[in-house]
Amino acid sequence: MSNRLVFISKCLLIVMVAALSQGCKTLAKQNDTGVVVARRAQIRSSTAVVAADLLEVNRGDAVDILDFQDVQDPTDNSKKERWLRVQAHDEDSTEGWIESRNVMPDEVLQAAKKLADEDKGIPAQATGQLRASSNLRLTPDRGGNENIMMRLDSGSRFEIVSWKRVPKPKSSDAIESDVAPKAGSAQPGNLRGTKESQERNEPEETNELWYKVRLPSLISPAPAGWIYGKQVELTVPSDIIFYRTGREFVAWQRLDNESSDSDSSKGKDAAKEAKPGSWVILEKSSSNQPHTVGEPDFDRIYVLGYDKRNQEHYTAYRSPDLKGYLPCRIEGKPDNKTFTIRVQDENGQINDVQYGVYKDGRGYLKVSAPSVSREKDKRRSR
């Protein structure tokens, strides 16, 4: 009998550990701490519509979560919204109620910081901004609401570190647009009807694009997260946007040390402030075929030089077609740099390939481009 009791105890312990290891929820709970994610929000005397405002809090302010309550939405009896009783960190330690959607639990914030640490040494590959108010999520999945960290405002700018294609949610309950709902009020449905006329001639996609982004603290306390690709507009720098030649620019990095439009904290007019310079640009051909999971990130490298004397750009290098993958890393001194990308060879293997960038006697940018096959031969001879 004692052995049986020991066995049952072990089983219960395993079940408890498994339950605790399922990952953090994005909904705040009692005896937690959190940070305000709204630009401005009010701590109120109660959850009632006529409650008094006790204290205005701003994005980034810390609060202690004392309790929570799910309150009936006064405009819709079928909906409930979570409110939190919190204690602010002001001089009076103000206690009151605030809507849950305005607070990010510390557990979620720490998960976002861990997400940012995964790409700590990777430079921004591109920049973007939101077409509409959208969700910032912990994972590239819009099949539910549990991974939503916060709502980002339309026009929010950010650095793009990487991207990923994932299968579309199969559930008919999946939210089509990924515009953020109020906490606890998300309803099944889609916006397909309004888009069908626009997308009738496009190939049916079974996968969808997600961007992994870095965010400035002015926009989000969470330093990193995932955003649904259809909500993102790439902000190609103003001095290179007119050099597209039938292929889309999917990533870009400057080769000089001038300030550029990659600073996502400058606001919507950052591209207008960017000085002309030299760039490594990664391009991708347009296709009428549906995208696939794991497909190459780009298929051509374009190095654009800038002649300061004549104040004009020139083509320093255009690669043959290839199958390239992020990230692109630039290293070295101003007049002698390298950039490294990952390229798939004819055997399907993905290898790091390094390109040299230097200036000739006349000061023009040149690129030393090793072939993928030469790199493979070098490795075989070692």
Side-chain angles (χ1 to χ4, degrees):
M1 179 65 72
S2 59
N3 289 338
R4 186 177 179 184
L5 287 174
V6 170
F7 174 75
I8 293 173
S9 299
K10 286 182 178 179
C11 290
L12 288 172
L13 182 61
I14 291 170
V15 170
M16 290 173 64
V17 170
L20 291 171
S21 63
Q22 284 180 349
C24 63
K25 302 290 185 184
T26 57
L27 216 59
K29 56 185 182 297
Q30 191 176 0
N31 299 323
D32 201 351
T33 57
V35 60
V36 177
V37 295
R39 192 186 299 272
R40 285 181 296 274
Q42 295 291 335
I43 294 179
R44 314 185 72 192
S45 59
S46 73
T47 63
V49 176
V50 295
D53 293 337
L54 302 179
L55 178 69
E56 182 175 273
V57 288
N58 301 299
R59 183 175 291 151
D61 290 347
V63 294
D64 296 325
I65 300 167
L66 309 175
D67 200 357
F68 68 88
Q69 183 178 341
D70 292 327
V71 179
Q72 201 81 43
D73 189 328
T75 63
D76 189 340
N77 290 332
S78 65
K79 298 179 183 177
K80 286 189 175 182
E81 186 159 350
R82 177 158 292 190
W83 284 71
L84 307 174
R85 188 165 69 87
V86 299
Q87 184 177 66
H89 291 188
D90 62 330
E91 290 182 1
D92 300 324
S93 298
T94 303
E95 287 189 23
W97 292 87
I98 188 171
E99 290 174 285
S100 174
R101 61 176 166 148
N102 293 324
V103 177
M104 180 184 296
D106 184 65
E107 183 182 4
V108 176
L109 180 59
Q110 295 310 314
K113 289 179 177 179
K114 187 176 179 181
L115 198 65
D117 286 343
E118 293 175 358
D119 305 300
K120 199 170 185 179
I122 296 177
Q125 305 294 299
T127 54
Q129 68 181 29
L130 285 179
R131 302 177 190 272
S133 177
S134 306
N135 291 322
L136 178 69
R137 294 179 181 261
L138 275 172
T139 55
D141 175 16
R142 61 193 180 97
N145 293 335
E146 290 188 349
N147 62 348
I148 296 175
M149 288 189 277
M150 65 176 289
R151 178 176 181 164
L152 294 174
D153 297 332
S154 175
S156 295
R157 292 174 62 89
F158 38 78
E159 294 179 343
I160 295 171
V161 183
S162 63
W163 52 80
K164 183 178 186 180
R165 291 192 182 274
V166 300
K168 274 188 176 181
K170 293 182 179 179
S171 171
S172 59
D173 293 342
I175 301 168
E176 178 70 14
S177 69
D178 206 45
V179 173
K182 289 184 177 182
S185 66
Q187 294 295 306
N190 60 62
L191 304 178
R192 208 167 279 159
T194 61
K195 296 184 179 182
E196 277 183 351
S197 59
Q198 301 173 5
E199 299 181 353
R200 206 166 281 159
N201 297 324
E202 295 181 8
E204 184 177 351
E205 295 280 359
T206 57
N207 305 302
E208 56 189 27
L209 179 66
W210 286 78
Y211 289 104
K212 191 176 186 181
V213 303
R214 273 195 208 112
L215 302 121
S217 57
L218 289 175
I219 291 176
S220 165
W226 289 91
I227 298 176
Y228 179 43
K230 281 194 175 181
Q231 300 294 74
V232 175
E233 178 184 0
L234 296 182
T235 53
V236 180
S238 58
D239 68 319
I240 65 173
I241 193 170
F242 298 108
Y243 292 94
R244 289 183 292 195
T245 55
R247 304 192 192 202
E248 291 299 315
F249 290 179
V250 297
W252 53 86
Q253 289 188 59
R254 283 189 78 129
L255 284 163
D256 48 45
N257 295 324
E258 297 288 343
S259 62
S260 78
D261 145 86
S262 63
D263 183 356
S264 58
S265 64
K266 288 182 179 178
K268 291 184 180 181
D269 296 326
K272 297 178 183 178
E273 302 170 9
K275 295 180 180 179
S278 300
W279 297 81
V280 174
I281 302 166
L282 306 179
E283 301 177 310
K284 188 164 187 178
S285 304
S286 299
S287 173
N288 292 326
Q289 298 302 314
H291 294 285
T292 60
V293 173
E295 70 179 24
D297 295 321
F298 57 94
D299 53 32
R300 190 166 71 179
I301 305 165
Y302 180 23
V303 178
L304 194 65
Y306 183 69
D307 184 350
K308 290 184 178 180
R309 183 183 303 171
N310 297 321
Q311 296 186 0
E312 62 182 11
H313 286 98
Y314 57 91
T315 297
Y317 174 73
R318 256 200 189 100
S319 76
D321 286 357
L322 48 76
K323 295 180 179 179
Y325 295 85
L326 298 179
C328 174
R329 300 175 187 268
I330 297 177
E331 297 175 313
K333 299 177 181 179
D335 292 334
N336 189 8
K337 290 193 172 184
T338 63
F339 64 89
T340 304
I341 58 170
R342 298 187 302 140
V343 177
Q344 183 176 325
D345 62 23
E346 61 270 23
N347 296 322
Q349 299 223 340
I350 300 175
N351 308 297
D352 286 345
V353 178
Q354 189 176 86
Y355 293 72
V357 183
Y358 63 95
K359 289 185 177 179
D360 65 11
R362 296 182 301 165
Y364 285 99
L365 209 63
K366 299 290 182 181
V367 175
S368 172
S371 67
V372 177
S373 58
R374 222 166 42 224
E375 288 294 308
K376 185 176 64 174
D377 291 340
K378 285 181 184 178
R379 282 190 298 274
R380 283 179 176 173
S381 63
R382 287 173 188 169

